[in-house]
Amino acid sequence: VPFVPGCDSFAVWGNRTQQGALFTSRNLDWAKDTGIAQHKLVAVVNTPGVPPYAMFGFTSGLGALAGMSSNGITVSEMNADNAKTTFDGPPFPLRLRMILEKSATLKDAQTLWSATNNTDSMNFLIGSAKDPGALVVEAMRGFSGYFVDNDPKEAAATCDV
């Protein structure tokens, strides 16, 4: 498979980590010479009545490209690039922020995700240290596909180059 730069993420837990702890990662694969790197931002939000969380992104936005909450929820996004988009719903950085604020488990996160509309075509990774585990969401206007570890839907996946 030829290498094409792109964002990625992963989650690992269970017998692959010490004490079964969840580890998630997110790689932002943007061109380094655009100047955006000068505007990186880590925001820690501590609002009364909301579990504290950290968001990782840039000063140009108030949402999350990636993040982690004190409830053990992690979020990240990867672009899926297609034209199936709409303005009817929350932009994904605000949607990820909502997940950090309102979710304590993967079920909470999936319920919240399902109650809001996809505005663009992206892939998302949501992890939960409490469950422990991760959920991948493949999203585009009018559709969300949900995938868990060792998902049978992926067993027959192929790649045409």
Side-chain angles (χ1 to χ4, degrees), residues 19-53:
Q19 300 171 350
L22 173 72
F23 289 89
T24 61
S25 177
R26 197 259 191 250
N27 173 45
L28 180 63
D29 200 2
W30 288 3
K32 64 182 174 120
D33 298 326
T34 63
I36 191 72
Q38 297 174 29
H39 305 284
K40 293 180 253 190
L41 176 68
V42 176
V44 178
V45 180
N46 194 357
T47 303
V50 175
Y53 60 95

Side-chain angles (χ1 to χ4, degrees), residues 61-143:
L62 297 175
L65 296 179
M68 178 183 348
S69 77
S70 63
N71 278 339
I73 295 291
T74 62
V75 296
S76 58
E77 59 78 26
M78 291 67 58
N79 197 3
D81 280 335
N82 73 50
K84 295 181 180 178
T85 61
T86 180
F87 288 109
D88 184 22
F92 84 82
L94 297 180
R95 198 176 194 189
L96 293 181
R97 188 172 175 172
M98 289 170 27
I99 298 240
L100 291 171
E101 290 177 355
K102 299 179 180 184
S103 300
T105 65
L106 289 177
K107 183 176 180 182
D108 294 345
Q110 186 172 352
T111 298
L112 180 60
W113 191 274
S114 297
T116 53
N117 193 38
N118 298 325
T119 55
D120 51 14
S121 300
M122 305 286 259
N123 293 317
F124 300 90
L125 176 71
I126 304 169
S128 172
K130 286 185 181 175
D131 290 323
L135 175 70
V136 172
V137 183
E138 185 175 312
M140 65 182 74
R141 181 188 68 222
F143 173 80

